[in-house]
Amino acid sequence: MSLKITEKEGTFYLDGSINTLTSSLLENHFTHLLYLNNELTINIEGVNEINSNGVSTLLDLYFKASKNNKRLWFTGYGSKDIYNQYNSLNPV
């Protein structure tokens, strides 16, 4: 399945699958947007499939944002799992 990215009122909504086929496009798109903006919100409520490659991509985006003093927010069902995974890889 494909991945659709839409934007409404500053929030980007993902709809579809984040997997090996879609993750590089997702990473390129949001890396560019992070370069242009100090803050991004990504809603993952519409993601119906995510594999380990997709999780790695979201974590990579989060690491890039943190490294460059940018804010990246994940919202929607499953977002807490992304934050928990990040915290387990980056203990305080």
Side-chain angles (χ1 to χ4, degrees), residues 16-62:
S17 301
I18 305 174
N19 54 35
T20 306
L21 297 174
T22 61
S23 60
S24 62
L25 174 64
L26 175 77
E27 185 166 14
N28 290 338
H29 183 72
F30 284 109
T31 297
H32 179 72
L33 288 172
L34 277 170
Y35 176 77
L36 298 174
N37 300 282
N38 288 324
E39 185 173 312
L40 290 177
T41 301
I42 301 173
N43 184 297
I44 61 171
E45 187 80 28
V47 173
N48 55 21
E49 174 197 3
I50 185 167
N51 67 8
S52 60
N53 193 6
V55 172
S56 293
T57 297
L58 294 178
L59 289 173
D60 286 346
L61 286 170
Y62 200 76

Side-chain angles (χ1 to χ4, degrees), residues 70-86:
K70 308 274 183 153
R71 293 182 186 203
L72 179 59
W73 305 100
F74 293 106
T75 62
Y77 182 76
S79 58
K80 183 177 178 184
D81 297 330
I82 300 298
Y83 291 117
N84 288 341
Q85 184 71 25
Y86 172 80

